[in-house]
Amino acid sequence: MESDKWIVSVEPDKVSLVDLQNGAQVTRRPIKAEAAVMNPQQNILALRSGKMIQMFNLDSKAKLKSHDMEAPIVFWKWNGPSNLALVTATSVYHWSIEGTSAPVKMFDRHPTIGPNTQIINYQVSPDTHWCLLGGISAGAGGGVNGNMQLYSVEKKVSQPLQGHAGAFCTIKLSGREDPAQVLVFHDKKADNPTHQLFVMEVGRDPSKGTPHRLPPTQIPVPAEAANDFPVSLVIDAKDDVAFLLSKMGFVYMFDIHSGKTMFRTRITQETVFVTCAQASTGAVFGITVRTGKVLRIMLNGQNLVPYIVNTLRDNQLAIKVAGRLGLPGAEHLYTAEFERLIGAGQVKEAAVLVASSGTALRTPQTIARFQQIPAEPGAPQPVFQYFSTLLENGKLNEQESIELAKPVLQQGRPQLMEKWLKDDKLHCSEALGDLIMPSDTAMALSVYLRSECHGKAIQCFVQRGEYDKIVPYSTSVGYSMDYSSMLSQLLFNNPQGALDLAKGLVNAEGGPLIDIQATAEAFLSSNRVQETTAFLLEALKDNKQEHAYLQTKLLEINLIGGAPQVADAIMQNGVLTHYDRAHVGKLCERAGMWQRAAEHYTDINDIKRVFKNSHQMNPEFVVEYFGKLNREQSLALLRDMMSRGPSNMQVCVEVAKKYHDELGSSELVQVFESQKAIEGLYYYLGAVVNFSEDPVVHFKYIQSACQLGQFKEAERVCRDSNIYKPEEVKDYLKNAKLPDPRPLIHVCDRFDFVDELTEYLYLNSLLQYVEVYVTKVSPAKTPQVVGKLFDLGANQDFIKRILMAVGTACPVEEMVEIAETRNRLRMLQPWLEARVATGSTEPGTHNALGKIYIQMNKDPKAFLLNNMFYQPKVLGPFCESLDPSLAFVAYKRGAGECDDDLIRISFAHGLFRDLARYLVERQDLDLWAKVLTKDESSEGDAATEKESQRRQLIDQVVEWALPESTSADEVSCTVKAFMAADLPGELITLLERIILQGSDFSDNKNLQNLLILTAIRADHSRVASYIDQLDNFDAKDIALICVSESHMLYEEAYSIYNKFAKPEFSTDKEDQVEMQVLAIGVLVDFMKDLDRAKGYANQVDEKPVWSKLGKAQLDEKMAADAITSFINAEDASEYVTVCAEANEAEIYAELIPFLKMARKNLQENLLDTELIYAYAKTNNLTDLEVFVNGPNVANIQSIGDRCFSEGLYNAAKILFKNINNNSKLALCHIHLEEYREAVSAATQANNVSTWKQVCFACLRAGEFRLAATCGLEVIKYPDHVDEVVTYHSDLGHFDHLVSLFEQGLGLEDAHIGIFTELGILYTKHVPEKVMEHCKVFFSKLNVSKLVRSCERARLWKPAVYLYMADKQFDNAVKVMSEHATSFDNDLFLDSIVKVRNAEIMYKAVNFYLTMHPMLFTRLMEVLEDLVDHSRVVSQLRRTGDWALQIGQEYMKAVQKVNLSAVNEALNELYIDDEDYESLRKSIDKFKNFNMIALASKLATHELLEFRRISAYVYRCNKKWSQSIELSK
C-alpha cells in the first residue's frame, strides 16, 4: 500500500488490486510476479520477478519499461509519483517512469546497515536532496536493533543513525518566513533502553540562519513493551503530527513543533507491517500482518486539547496546539494566561498569546484593554504593539482594522494603510472606507470594492473622474442606477466625462443602456462634433445593419463639418460597412478625396469622372482599385486613362501587369496598340512574358522589342521561351531583316530551321554568322550546315575552315554520312586525322579513317590489327568486296561480335583451319553449336555441300586444333561442343583413353565431368561404374543432370550425394549436411519415397534433413507428420504453410506445440495469431487469456473477428476485452445473452453503431430498461433516429418508443430530431399531447416535418399553430379555411394580415361571406389597408345583393379613399333604402362616380327628394337644361 488509493496483493498466479476510493472494489489480473507496488498517484503498476522489474500503465494497458537488475532487490518503494526506489544488498537505485532510462544508482549502503540488515523503510525529503534508509537486525539477548542511514545527495556523504523509523516533513515555524524541512526520527542505542524522538531541520541555507533543532524527548514506552520497537513513522502533514507504530501494535502521537508525546495507546495485538498517509484528512492507513485488517488512525481534534489539559496536564502544550490547529477546549486557559501576562506587564507576550489563540481573545474588549494600558516612556503604545503582533501573524478582523486605522490616519501615515491593504492584512468594510475617504479616495475605493459597497464605490469613481469604469463595474456586480440624469449633467459640466460614461453605457454587457441616436443628437446639439464622433465610433463598432443611418451620419458630420481626415481614417479602418455608400461617395468627391470617392462608386461613368484626377491619387491605390472592377469596366477605364496622354502610362502598365490574367493578354495588347503605346506595350509584356503561356504575348514582346531596338531582349526570349509559335516568329524576323540576326539564329536553331537559316545567312552574305553559329551556338548541327553549304555550292576552303574551327564538337558519324552521300569523304581526311591526333577514340572517326586508308591501300592490315577503336561490323563488310582476308582480320578483331560474319566468309572462301583454331581458342559453346549443328532445312546439293563443309571443319579441329592445344579448358570446351553436336561415339573412346588409361588430364575435373556426361547421354549403363571409379568431378552438377527429366537417373544421383556426404569426400560438416539434404531431396522430390526418406532422416538425424522431409510431407498434405518433422528440425520457416494445412486438416491440438516452438525464435504476427486461434478452437480459454495478457505480437483484432464470425464468442470476448474493442465485446455479450454486460461494454465503446446493435438486441430479448439506456445514446445522433423508430415500430413497442424519446428530451445534447420525432410519435399514438408539445418545444422542432405528420393525422389545430409559429401564415389561413374544426377568428385575423400571397386575402373575403358572414365587417377592418377595395366590391356584387348589404359598413369605412366602385355601390344601397340624406352627403363628399348615370337614374324616381338630388347632380355637372327641367 503506497497511498490511500490502492492496496495490491500478490498471489501465486494473480495480482489483486483493491480500489479504496471505489468502495474497495477488487480487480484480479492473471499476472505471475513475486511482488507488486502501485504508484501513489497514477494507475501504474510495478512488478518484480527475480531480478526483472517492469512497469505497466493499467489505463492504457501498455508496458512502460522493463529492466533486468544485476543483483536481487531486497526492498522497493515508490518515493514519489515518478520514481521507484530499489534497494539491493549493497546499493540504492532510483528508477524514473519517464523515458527509457535504466535505474540510476543513488548511493551505497553504509556498513552499519549492511547485507545482514532487513530493510523496512526508505524515505526521500520533499526537496529530494536527502535520503533516509532504515532497517532492523538481530541484537544481543534476542532484541532487535535499528539502524538508519541519512544520505546527502548534494554532498554525497552518509551519516549512520541508531533507530528504527524516521520521516521527512515540511512545517511552518512561528517567527520564520521560510518553511522548515525537518527530519523526525526514533532513536535508541543498542546498549540503552531509552527511546527518544529527534526533530531536526536538514538542508537549510546557512545564510538564512541556524537550522531548527529540538532537544530529544523521551518516548513513554510502557513497561509491558520493554522489548517493543517501532516499525514505521508516518507524518500527518495537515496538522504537523507524527504517528509512530510499533511491532506490538502501539501507536504514539507526537507534536512535531515541540517534540512532545500527545497520546499513546494500543490499537491491535498484531504488527502493522505497512502504512501510508492520507493527505486530504491527515489520517494514517495501516494493514496488520496475520489477519490483513485495514486500520485508519486519525487525530480527534475535538478531544485532543481537553485530553492534554486534563490527562497530560500540560497547559502550554494545550495552548500552542489549540492555537496552531484552531481546536476547541483551551478558551479558559487563554483567558487566564492573558490576565496573568497583562497583570505582569508583559504586553508583548500577551499580544502574542492573543494572536495564537485563534478567535478566542480577539474581541473589542481585548482592544480596549490594550488601549487602557499606559505607554511607557520611549516605548510604543501597547495597542500598537498588539496590532503589530496581530499583523505579523495574520489578518485583522473588522473591528481591529477600524481601531488601527483611526490613529494611523490621524498621524498622517496612509502609506501604512496602503501597505497593509496590499498585503491583505485588514478586513475591508464600509465603515473602514468611510474612515479613509477624506484622506485618500483611491484607497477608499479599494476598500469599498473589496467590501462590495457598490454605491459608494461609484461615488469614488465620479470623484476621481474615472467615468469609464462606472458601467463595467455596475454591470459586473449587478448594480442598477439612473444613468440618464448623470449623463445629462455631465454633458454640460464635463463633456469628456460624459463621453467616457456614454462609451461605457453603450458597451455594457447585455446591450446598450442608452439610446444611441438620442445620445448622439444630444452631443451634436451641444456642438460637440469631436465627442459625437468618438461616441459613435464606440457605439457602432459592432457594424450592425440597423445602424446604417448612424454610420452615414457619422461620416457626414465629419466630411461636411471640416474634418475629412477623420472620415478618411474611419473608412480606412474598415469597421463600418452599412452606410449609404453612394451618398458618402459624393461627399468624398466634393471634399476632394478622390480615392475614397472612387472606392464608393460602382457606375463606370462616375469612376471615369473621378479618375480624371488619377494624377493626384496614389499609384498603388489605382493599381489595387482595378481589382474591384469587372473585366469590361477595367478595360474601359484603362483605355480612358491612356487616352489622356503619356502621364498615366506608367500606372497603366502596372495595372496591366497585375491584372494580366483577369483582363486577358489579347485584350490588353489591343488596348495598348489602339493607343499606339509601343513602349508601354513593351514594358507590360516584359513583366509578364516570363510567366505567360500565351503565344501572342511572346510574339508581341519580340515584335515590340525589335521595334524599339531592344535586340538583346528579343534574343533572350527567342532563346529561352518555349511558348511562341516558331513559324510566326521566324517569318517575322526574316522579313524584318534585322541588322543583328541572332534572334533568328536562336529561333532556327531551337526549332530545327537550320537549312533555312543557313540559306538566309549565305544569301545575305552573313557568312561570319554562319561560323559563329556552328562554333558558339550549336556545334552539333555543323553537319546540317555543311550539307546545306555543299548543296549551295559554297567554297570548299570555307567549309574546311568551318570544320577545323568546330573541331571535336562536330558529331563525326553524321558528318561522315553527309560527306559520303555527297561523295566528299576524302575531303574530311585532314579534319579526321586532326581529331585522332587530339586523342579521339570515337569509333566513327576511326571507321572513316579506315575506309579512307583501305581505299588508298595505305597499309590497311596493320591498321586493322593495331587500331583499337574502329568498329569491325563497319569495316568488315567494307573489306569483303576488296580482300576477304582483311575482312576475316576485321571480324576476328570483333571478339565474338562478328562471329556470324566470320563463319560466313570462312565457309565461302575455305578458311577452315583459321576458323578451327579460332573456335578452339574462343571456347564458346554457342559458337561451336553454329558450326557443328546439322542444318536440317537444306536439301539436295546445298545440304551435301554444307555437310561437306562441316566435316572439313571437324577434321581440322581433330587433326590440328586439339593436338596443338595444351589447355585442358580448351579441350574440355571442345568436347562439350562435340557432345552438344551429338557426336558421342567419337568422344567417349577418346575421353576413356585420356582419363582412365593415364595421362596429364586423368585428374582433370572438367574431363571427368565430360566423360560422365557423355556416358549419361550415350550409355546409361556405364554411369554407375564411372561414379564409383572417379573422385574428382562436380558431384552436385552431375547429380542435377542425373535427376533431370531427360535422364531420370535417380539412384545414380542418390549414390553421388550419399558418396560425397561421407567425411572422406566432404571434410566440412556443413558440406556433409548439405549433401545429406540433397540426398533426401532425391528421395522425396524425385523418387517420392517418403518412408525411405523418413528412415534416412532417422539415420542421419540432422535438422536440415528433418526440415527437408517436413516440407515434402507438407506438400503431400501429411500435416501431422510434417509438424513432427519440423519440431525435430526446430524449423519454423514454413510456419505460414504449416498453419494453413493445419487449419485445413483441423489438427489444432497438434499445431500448438509447433507454434510454441516457432515463437522461441520468431516474433511474427501470424504465429501469435494462429496460436490464439488454436487455443480458441481447442477451447483452452485459460491458456488463451494468459497468452493474450502477456507479451505478444498477435493481430488480436483480426483473430477476434475470426473467432466471432465462427461463433467462438467466449474466446472472442477475451480477445476483444484485451484490446479494449468494446464495440465487438458488446456483440459477444449479446450472442452470449449477457445483456447487462453488453450495455457496459457499449458504454465503454461509446459509438453509435454499437449502441444501436445492443439496443436492438435488448429489444428482441425484452430487456426494455437496458434497451432504453442504449436507445438514449443512439438518438443523440440525428442520422440514426429513423432507424430506432422503425425497429421499435416493427416490433410493436410503441409505448416504449414514446417513453424513450420523452427521456431523450432531458439529454444534455438533445437535438432537433428528438423533439421532432417525439411530436410525430404523439400524432400517431398520443394525439392529446401534440398541442402541448408543439407549444413547449416549438423552437426545437422541424416544423415542416411535424406539420406534415399533423396533417396526416388530421390534427388541424396543432397544424395551424405550427404554421403560425413558423410564420407560414399562408398555410395557416389555408388550413383554417379548408377545415372548419381548426377555425379560430382571432387566429385567422392575426394570420391574414401577414400572408405573402395577396390572393389569399380575396379568398378569405369569399370564405367569410360564405361561412362567417357576421364576422365579415371585422375581417375587412383588419384588411382595410391591404386590399383593393374595388375588387372587394366586385366580389360583393358577384355574391349577391345581400352581400352588398353585409359589406355596407365596410364600404362606409373605406369611402374616404373616394373610389368609384365603392361610391357607386353605396349610392345604390342608399337609393334602395330610400335614404336620400345619406345619398346627398355621399354625393357632396365623394364625387368619384358616374354622376350623369346616377342623375338619369334618379330623374324618374318616385320620391321627390331623389329627383331634387338628380337636379342637383345635373347642376353640378353644368347640365343646366336637365336641371331646370327637373326643377319645374
Side-chain angles (χ1 to χ4, degrees), residues 1039 1043 1050-1051 1053-1059 1061 1071-1113 1115 1125 1128-1129:
V1043 298
Y1050 302 134
E1051 286 292 346
Y1054 175 73
S1055 299
I1056 293 173
Y1057 289 136
N1058 203 18
K1059 175 180 180 180
D1071 294 340
Q1072 295 175 21
V1073 173
E1074 182 183 5
M1075 287 298 178
Q1076 291 168 351
V1077 172
L1078 292 172
I1080 197 171
V1082 173
L1083 296 176
V1084 298
D1085 294 337
F1086 300 102
M1087 301 175 72
K1088 304 297 181 181
D1089 192 346
L1090 295 181
D1091 293 336
R1092 183 177 176 186
K1094 188 173 182 180
Y1096 181 75
N1098 283 315
Q1099 175 187 344
V1100 299
D1101 195 22
E1102 293 289 347
K1103 292 179 180 180
V1105 176
W1106 281 113
S1107 180
K1108 180 67 176 178
L1109 176 60
K1111 293 176 183 178
Q1113 292 169 332
D1115 293 338
S1125 298
N1128 290 333

Side-chain angles (χ1 to χ4, degrees), residues 1204-1218:
F1204 182 84
S1205 64
E1206 295 182 11
L1208 304 174
Y1209 299 119
N1210 283 307
K1213 181 173 69 173
I1214 294 172
L1215 296 172
F1216 291 135
K1217 188 174 182 180
N1218 178 266

Side-chain angles (χ1 to χ4, degrees), residues 482-492 497-499 501-502 505 514 519 523:
D482 183 9
Y483 297 110
S484 301
S485 59
M486 182 183 293
L487 188 62
S488 300
Q489 184 178 359
L490 287 174
L491 186 58
F492 296 98
L499 174 61
L501 179 58
L505 292 171
I514 54 174
T519 305
F523 277 107

Side-chain angles (χ1 to χ4, degrees), residues 49-228:
S49 182
K51 299 180 183 179
M52 175 60 70
I53 51 176
Q54 296 177 312
M55 291 184 187
F56 290 90
N57 189 317
L58 300 183
D59 293 333
S60 62
K61 294 186 177 181
K63 183 169 72 173
L64 299 180
K65 56 199 309 184
S66 62
H67 184 75
D68 194 359
M69 296 290 291
E70 296 180 358
I73 298 172
V74 298
F75 182 82
W76 65 341
K77 176 182 176 63
W78 288 98
N79 62 306
S82 61
N83 269 299
L84 181 64
L86 309 170
V87 183
T88 66
T90 59
S91 305
V92 176
Y93 299 83
H94 284 184
W95 194 26
S96 173
I97 67 174
E98 305 293 338
T100 58
S101 60
V104 178
K105 181 179 178 181
M106 299 301 295
F107 59 92
D108 291 325
R109 288 170 58 171
H110 195 270
T112 59
I113 192 167
N116 295 327
T117 301
Q118 178 187 351
I119 304 300
I120 61 172
N121 190 23
Y122 179 72
Q123 299 284 336
V124 178
S125 64
D127 63 0
T128 69
H129 294 163
W130 296 85
C131 304
L132 182 68
L133 180 65
I136 55 176
S137 59
V144 177
N145 294 334
N147 289 285
M148 295 184 290
Q149 177 183 357
L150 179 63
Y151 178 75
S152 172
V153 178
E154 292 181 330
K155 298 179 181 179
K156 300 188 183 304
V157 294
S158 296
Q159 176 183 350
L161 303 174
Q162 293 188 30
H164 294 78
F168 296 97
C169 68
T170 302
I171 61 174
K172 181 70 174 69
L173 297 174
S174 177
R176 265 181 56 173
E177 294 184 358
D178 59 317
Q181 178 179 265
V182 298
L183 170 63
V184 183
F185 67 94
H186 163 266
D187 177 82
K188 182 184 180 299
K189 305 295 189 290
D191 55 353
N192 189 345
T194 303
H195 296 258
Q196 292 181 309
L197 182 75
F198 278 79
V199 178
M200 64 180 187
E201 185 175 6
V202 293
R204 190 185 190 198
D205 186 356
S207 63
K208 294 183 178 180
T210 305
H212 172 71
R213 186 185 183 100
L214 293 178
T217 57
Q218 185 172 348
I219 301 174
V221 178
E224 66 271 20
N227 293 326
D228 195 11

